[in-house]
Each structure stands twice: as structure tokens, then as C-alpha cells.
Amino acid sequence: MKLSMVADHARWPKENDMIFNLSERAQAAEKAIGKENVINATIGALMDDEGKLITMDSVYSQLKSLPNNQISAYASIAGQDDYKEAVKKVCFQGNDPDGYTRVVASPGGSGAIKLAMWNYTNPGDVILTSDWYWSPYGIIGEEAGRSVANYKLFNKDGNFNTESFKDKFAEIVDKQGNIFTIINSPGHNPTGYSVSDEEWDEILDFAKEVAKDESKKIVFFIDVAYIDFVKDDLESRKFFRKFGDLPENILTIVGFSMSKGFTAYGMRMGAAIGISSNEDIAEEFYYSAMHSCRANWSNCNRGAMSVLSTLVADQAKFAQYEEEKKSYKDMLVRRAESFVEAAKGVDLEILPYRDGFFVSLPCDNPREICEELTKENLYLVPLKMGLRFAVCAVSEEKCRKAPKVIKEAIKKIKSVEGSLG
Ligand SMILES: Cc1ncc(COP(=O)(O)O)c(C=O)c1O
């Protein structure tokens, strides 16, 4: 047997992150034949039309104006108090759910997922999320001995599949006695779907019904990583109110991230926001999560926390940030609309897009299609059930061009499959 030093639980297949790998290939192609000839739709970050990373001036001028000691010093384990307040303000924007809320800082939204999953599931538990989902949910769970089960995200009309959600939810909660479910909305990665207010009502009515059995423990993890890139900032935050005054055996944890909303991907700053109608449960959330912070990363990026706190405390600075963000959001909306329209024009099937960084296309043989597309200098990400196109990273002009190229590649792979079959 091949020599291995790693502990049993830490032995994983040797595979590079597929997304980063394709992204590197796209960059190599850009170097070889020029950026204008390559469509790189692999990157999950806002890029300008020339393919350069967008960084908000309002954020970075603030960071650079901080005194060194505000960047250098250790932060409190659960985050600075002013940061915790600022998180609530920017996340809820006046739509705070009634009840007890506690905030614990985390390295990005990923850290919030880790905090929540570790502290609210047992070893061997099954976590519920939709069939189209961000793969790190599975990776974070897997490392801790948890696995992921899926419901179908869409019904035949392209809306949230409440029936499938309820079936899976009931199955898991009956078996486990507890359930931890992740819903990534608004601007779901990878599909761009946003759960509507009516759909949230249906989801919560069902959860309340299940919660009548007081032995059941229900945790909603609401991943709002893309909430700052929705068409209407205020409308899309109204749903937060629905998480107020829920039964005591329903806990809500909101996963907040500065990565997208503040173009702060590498600064690694986020938070887990626990919401409960019972103060003891909210306090328990705070202390359990804080213990995990200590056990994993100690404390977070103090400079990044200061950036958010100072932006939120200063109306003029915040207005400047909002204006800047709006200009990028408008750019994103134009790109996404161009892609959706062009897809319609060539009869390319896509999943219902509402908001956010990505559009997805359902198809068979996603890996083969991706490879085929690299021959046309178009790079996107293969998923289990289709392809993900990052409208956040591609110019409007290229967003308009891409659907036809993708349609052709799908046709080609289908005909090869057909002749083989
Ligand atoms: C669905 C989803 N959740 C959470 C995150 C959190 O990212 P980060 O840890 O960079 O804040 C991301 C980033 O890509 C994401 O796509």
C-alpha cells in the first residue's frame, strides 16, 4: 500500500478545485490569444469589461485610511461590538426580525457556514439543501462527518419546488429528530434564483407545523452571500421579518459575507447571525459559535471589520459606497439580461434567473460540453446537472455572444452521443 501519513479522517482524493483549474486554463488562453478573444465565465467575482477584478474605492480608501493599530491588533473572538452592530444594519437594513439576535464574526460567509453546521448538526447527520447547490456545503459537511441530501429546487413551472422541499424535510426530521437546512437566497449560486416572499411563507408555515412537535429541532441557515446584488435592495430584505417570533424550536442563522457586497473576497470577513424567539437559545448560539471561533481561527480580520463599522457609521461614506455598488449592480443586471435574452433568441434552455452573479443551464454531459467549449475559447464551470456561466465576470457584449456558442457545443456533443448510442 502507498505510504500515507495523514490521519484516516483527513484522507481525501487528490483533486484540484475544478473551478480554479478551468480559470487557470482560461487565463492561459487569454495570454496566448488576447483577452478579447476569450470568454472566461468561470470566476465568481465581479470583473470589469476588460477582465480586471473590480474593487470598490469606497471600501479600499477606507481600509487604507485606517491607523496601523486598527489593522494590526487582535480582535475580540466573536468580533468587535461595532462590527456586530454594523453587520445587522447592512444585512437587515431595517427589516430586523422580532426576537433575540446575536452576531458572531467569521472569516467570510464560508466561516459562518462552518460555525453553523458544526454547532447545529450531530456527527452522521444529513443536511438538507437543493439539488443545485454550492459544492462547499458538501465539503464543509463532509469534513465533519455530515452529508448532504437534496430536494428539487425547481418545479415544472420554474418556481421553488415546495412539495419536494417538504417531502425531504419531513423525511429527514422524522428520522433524525432534527434538521439543518441551507437555503441560499436571494441570488442563489449557481442558478441566480431568489425565493419569493410567498414561497418563504409556504416554507415557514410548513416548518411551524412540524415544530408543533416540541421534540423536533429545526435550523434554517439562510445564506445571503449575494444579497447586495439583487435588483431591489429593500424589497429583497423584507423576508427577514418572517423569521421573527418563530416557535422556540426553530432557530434561524443568517450567513453574512462581505466578499461580494463589498468586493472584499480576500479580506475574509463575514458573520453568522443567530435569531431566536428565546433569549437563552440566542445566547447559547453566541457562546457555542464563539467557542468554535477559538477552536478554529481564533479571531478575524480586524481591519476588514473596521472598514464595515466606519462605513456604516458615516452616512456620507455609506452613501458613496451605495452609489458605487449601484453602478456595478446596474452593470451586472445589464449583463444578465443580455445573456438571458440571447439564450431565448437561440432557444438555449436556462434555469430561472432572478439575481446574483450566475446563470445556470441544465444539460447532460456537462464536462464534455465544457471541454468542447474550450475549443471555442469559452470557459465555464461544469456542475453535476449542467453548466454555470458567471455573468459577474463577463462583459455585456460577450454575454450576448455566449449563448449561441454554448447552444452549438451542446448540439455537437448530443450528436456525438447519438451516433455512439
Ligand atoms: C453560495 C455561497 N455562499 C457563501 C459564499 C461565501 O463566500 P466567502 O467565504 O468568500 O464569504 C459564497 C462565495 O462564493 C457562495 O457562493
Side-chain angles (χ1 to χ4, degrees), residues 152 160 238 240 255 257 280 395:
K152 286 193 168 61
F160 187 83
K238 284 193 178 148
F240 283 130
S257 167
D280 289 340
S395 71

Side-chain angles (χ1 to χ4, degrees), residues 238-295:
K238 284 193 178 148
F239 81 99
F240 283 130
R241 287 183 186 273
K242 299 180 190 294
F243 291 89
D245 290 331
L246 291 177
E248 293 185 345
N249 52 343
I250 302 182
L251 171 74
T252 307
I253 305 173
V254 175
F256 168 81
S257 167
M258 284 179 66
S259 300
K260 328 283 164 181
F262 294 81
T263 59
Y265 319 92
M267 292 216 276
R268 311 306 308 134
M269 209 53 240
I273 310 173
I275 305 157
S276 174
S277 53
N278 177 319
E279 189 168 15
D280 289 340
I281 299 289
E283 282 285 290
E284 182 185 60
F285 160 81
Y286 184 77
Y287 286 100
S288 299
M290 189 161 70
H291 188 274
S292 288
C293 294
R294 196 47 171 129

Side-chain angles (χ1 to χ4, degrees), residues 108-110 113 134 137 184 189 223 225-226 257 259-260 268:
S110 304
I113 297 164
W134 189 50
Y137 297 153
N184 173 210
N189 176 7
D223 183 346
Y226 297 90
S257 167
S259 300
K260 328 283 164 181
R268 311 306 308 134

Side-chain angles (χ1 to χ4, degrees), residues 153-397:
L153 178 56
F154 297 110
N155 62 19
K156 61 178 180 5
D157 304 317
N159 295 318
F160 187 83
N161 197 330
T162 324
E163 288 316 309
S164 178
F165 174 80
K166 287 181 189 174
D167 285 350
K168 269 287 170 192
F169 189 105
E171 185 188 313
I172 293 170
V173 82
D174 278 350
K175 209 158 148 195
Q176 270 176 197
N178 65 308
I179 184 156
F180 181 98
T181 180
I182 305 177
I183 298 185
N184 173 210
S185 178
H188 174 256
N189 176 7
T191 67
Y193 191 71
S194 296
V195 176
S196 72
D197 284 351
E198 297 69 36
E199 288 163 348
W200 276 122
D201 286 337
E202 271 192 74
I203 291 167
L204 287 174
D205 285 347
F206 176 71
K208 281 187 238 177
E209 208 40 54
V210 175
K212 283 184 181 159
D213 175 348
E214 289 173 9
S215 71
K216 306 289 189 218
K217 297 179 189 178
I218 299 168
V219 180
F220 279 97
F221 186 87
I222 316 298
D223 183 346
V224 298
Y226 297 90
I227 197 161
D228 284 304
F229 285 92
V230 293
K231 289 181 198 85
D232 188 330
D233 279 337
L234 283 180
E235 272 303 308
S236 68
R237 282 169 159 84
K238 284 193 178 148
F239 81 99
F240 283 130
R241 287 183 186 273
K242 299 180 190 294
F243 291 89
D245 290 331
L246 291 177
E248 293 185 345
N249 52 343
I250 302 182
L251 171 74
T252 307
I253 305 173
V254 175
F256 168 81
S257 167
M258 284 179 66
S259 300
K260 328 283 164 181
F262 294 81
T263 59
Y265 319 92
M267 292 216 276
R268 311 306 308 134
M269 209 53 240
I273 310 173
I275 305 157
S276 174
S277 53
N278 177 319
E279 189 168 15
D280 289 340
I281 299 289
E283 282 285 290
E284 182 185 60
F285 160 81
Y286 184 77
Y287 286 100
S288 299
M290 189 161 70
H291 188 274
S292 288
C293 294
R294 196 47 171 129
N296 286 283
W297 46 76
S298 177
N299 61 122
C300 292
N301 181 336
R302 180 142 178 179
M305 283 191 235
S306 293
V307 168
L308 191 78
S309 321
T310 43
L311 280 181
V312 169
D314 184 324
Q315 270 190 9
K317 283 183 181 164
F318 198 71
Q320 193 201 336
Y321 155 75
E322 283 203 301
E323 198 179 310
E324 200 179 359
K325 191 190 78 180
K326 185 175 179 313
S327 70
Y328 294 129
K329 202 166 73 177
D330 292 347
M331 176 193 79
L332 181 70
V333 170
R334 284 196 303 275
R335 289 176 177 180
E337 280 174 355
S338 303
F339 188 92
V340 172
E341 248 172 51
K344 234 187 233 158
V346 294
D347 205 19
L348 173 68
E349 186 186 0
I350 61 170
L351 294 172
Y353 173 86
R354 305 268 187 277
D355 305 287
F357 279 22
F358 309 105
V359 179
S360 280
L361 308 89
C363 65
D364 296 327
N365 309 312
R367 282 184 185 235
E368 284 85 343
I369 294 167
C370 258
E371 264 320 308
E372 184 62 30
L373 282 166
T374 63
K375 295 180 196 156
E376 304 298 324
N377 299 310
L378 196 159
Y379 293 81
L380 38 63
V381 174
L383 308 167
K384 253 193 226 136
M385 303 197 298
L387 306 165
R388 188 188 81 174
F389 188 96
V391 284
C392 56
V394 176
S395 71
E396 189 180 337
E397 189 201 340

